Each structure stands twice: as C-alpha cells, then as structure tokens.
Amino acid sequence: MILNRRHLLLGATATLAGCDRLAGNERFREALFSAENFHKWAQRTLMTRDAMAREFRPDQISPRFRANGTANPNTPEYKAIWRTGFADWRLRVDGRVARPLSLSLAHLHALPHREQITRHDCVEGWSAIGKWRGVPLRPIMEAARLNDRARYLVFHCADDMGGGSAYYESIDMVDAFHPQTILAYALNDRPLSVANGAPLRLRVERQLGYKQAKYLMRIEAVDSLSAIGGGKGGFWEDHAGYDWYAGI
Ligand SMILES: Nc1nc2c(c(=O)[nH]1)N[C@H]1C(S)=C(S)[C@@H](COP(=O)(O)O)O[C@H]1N2
Ligand SMILES: [Mo]
C-alpha cells in the first residue's frame, strides 16, 4: 500500500478527534494546535524522513524492470556520449558549492558503492523491485563542499521533453544525505541500460518514481527552486501539478 503524507495527516486528524473532551479545554487546544507544536509532533511521529525504505531479498527482484517516461533521450548530445560508451560523459556538480566537480563514469565506479534492493512505485500504477548499485550522494556533496545556504539539489537530465525543456527533479538535504540516496550506475548487476537511465540516475527511495531522475548530466545546489524550470522543483511538478514531495 502506498501511504503518502496526505493519508498520514488524515489518520492524524482521526486520532485527534478522539481527544475531543480534552480539546474542550481552551488552553489545551491552543497548545495542541499551535503551529509550532503541531509541526514538532508531526515531524516526530509522522514524517520520520530519516527512516530507511524497505529493502527486499534477491529472490524478490522483478523479472523485468520496465522503462517509463523517456526510454532514449535521442538528442545529438546524448547520442555523442552514448557512442563512446559514455567515456566522454561527465557529471557536473556545481551551484552553491565551494569546489565544483566534474566526474567521469570511471571515477564514480572507483568510489565506494552501495547496493540496495528496493521497490519503485510509479504514480501511473505499477511497481517493480530492482537491485541498484551506485555511489551514495552524501560523500559527493561533501567533496564538493556544499555551501551552508544550499537548500536543494537540482538534477538536470539529458532528455528534452519538448520545446527545449529538459527533464529535471530536485530534493532537499534530508533526502540528499539519506543513506539510501545513491547515484546508480547498475541495475540487477548490469550496467544501467539506456531505457533505465544510462549512464547514471538518482535513487531516492522514500519517494515515487518520477523523482528518480534518469540520464543525469548535472547536479546543481541552489537555495531556491523558483528560478529553475517552471519553479515547482521538477518537470512533472511544473507541467502536471505533481507534488514536489512524493513520499511513499
Ligand atoms: N530523465 C528522466 N527521468 C525520469 C523520467 C523521464 O521521463 N526522464 N521518468 C520518471 C518516471 S515517471 C518514472 S516512473 C521513472 C521510470 O524509471 P524506469 O524507466 O527505469 O522504469 O523514471 C523517472 N525519471
Ligand atoms: Mo512514474
């Protein structure tokens, strides 16, 4: 079952209804519903953002991990890097960082990696369990020396969604530093296929499929999302009104 924040808040409202007698007391009600207390309570009890996503056993891996959205960026730039087996591809890390990086695939392969078998849930109503291998995002952002003012990471992708606007996504620092947030270069023990996002994609396991940006070209640290794309933090957020935080 997919529980999102809205469901959790509905559940919370139901629970609070049971407190009616207590809430009749004016001071108690004020304290309970003050923005600050509600926020603290919600964060502690409902939005345990640092909890781990469920990991599965190897025998639970789906026989096929279908592709969705762009299955091949097919732009001249992408074709050029694909032709060299991504030897000429570089991941740029820039924006609000003290030390911008330009990382080759070979460099990423040489860094300590993490493997995780997780379930991908797409809003269109399908799921697949896959084994991802990649580099945790945290040490990369530490190497780039993230500025204190940086609040989000924007993931710029190679695919043009029409009219020259590229797919992009963004996450906050809670997800950026989560141990299961990785830049994945392999799926089910094979190099990432073009359909699944070669040469590199984001895995941010506590969120829905559209946050899992494929065809990564650049990670930009920003203090605001308003100047990026349509300003809502992601391609589908801008064009279809999808929630920016797509908690599972
Ligand atoms: N660059 C890029 N990333 C993307 C998409 C896309 O079209 N372009 N589609 C998203 C959606 S909606 C889903 S469900 C997943 C699908 O990943 P898959 O193709 O490996 O199944 O990628 C996400 N990341
Ligand atoms: Mo999706």
Side-chain angles (χ1 to χ4, degrees):
M1 172 162 75
I2 299 174
L3 268 184
N4 63 30
R5 193 151 48 166
R6 232 173 296 124
H7 294 120
L8 290 171
L9 288 173
L10 281 176
T13 311
T15 309
L16 287 174
C19 302
D20 263 0
R21 250 163 13 111
L22 265 176
N25 175 320
E26 195 58 39
R27 287 217 6 234
F28 178 83
R29 185 196 287 157
E30 251 166 49
L32 183 63
F33 293 103
S34 83
E36 194 196 358
N37 280 348
F38 179 79
H39 184 73
K40 270 193 207 153
W41 167 81
Q43 224 171 22
R44 223 176 297 123
T45 60
L46 298 177
M47 298 164 199
T48 48
R49 296 273 315 274
D50 49 355
M52 298 289 274
R54 175 165 173 205
E55 294 194 17
F56 295 79
R57 298 186 311 269
D59 62 285
Q60 294 174 299
I61 293 173
S62 304
R64 199 179 101 76
F65 199 104
R66 63 173 271 189
N68 202 40
T70 304
N72 189 335
N74 255 321
T75 64
E77 295 79 12
Y78 186 81
K79 280 184 196 157
I81 53 170
W82 172 80
R83 239 177 259 123
T84 68
F86 301 108
D88 294 339
W89 169 89
R90 294 288 182 279
L91 176 71
R92 284 187 292 145
V93 181
D94 60 11
R96 292 205 171 272
V97 299
R99 204 161 71 96
L101 306 175
S102 172
L103 304 169
S104 69
L105 201 51
H107 189 147
L108 290 165
H109 285 160
L111 295 174
H113 67 262
R114 189 181 201 283
E115 279 184 350
Q116 56 205 31
I117 302 175
T118 53
R119 196 186 62 209
H120 174 108
D121 295 313
C122 173
V123 276
E124 290 166 34
W126 60 274
S127 299
I129 295 175
K131 175 182 176 183
W132 302 98
R133 174 195 276 225
V135 183
L137 185 54
R138 181 177 196 136
I140 292 180
M141 296 320 298
E142 284 168 351
R145 292 209 262 114
L146 200 57
N147 185 300
D148 284 344
R149 299 239 299 278
R151 290 186 52 210
Y152 307 97
L153 298 182
V154 180
F155 298 82
H156 297 279
C157 307
D159 46 336
D160 180 356
M161 302 296 286
S165 68
Y167 197 94
Y168 80 99
E169 259 303 339
S170 62
I171 60 175
D172 65 13
M173 296 307 163
V174 177
D175 273 328
F177 291 154
H178 188 285
Q180 287 169 316
T181 300
I182 64 172
L183 302 177
Y185 51 74
L187 170 59
N188 297 337
D189 297 318
R190 307 177 69 162
L192 209 51
S193 67
V194 167
N196 296 119
L200 194 73
R201 80 176 304 166
L202 174 66
R203 291 302 308 173
V204 49
E205 303 290 359
R206 309 284 316 280
Q207 296 202 55
L208 290 172
Y210 61 90
K211 302 298 287 190
Q212 324 296 324
K214 307 195 278 190
Y215 317 114
L216 295 182
M217 299 301 286
R218 173 178 176 219
I219 302 176
E220 181 187 11
V222 298
D223 49 21
S224 161
L225 296 171
S226 62
I228 313 286
K232 300 233 166 64
F235 181 81
W236 290 119
E237 289 87 332
D238 288 340
H239 291 90
Y242 284 13
D243 286 340
W244 174 77
Y245 187 78
I248 295 176

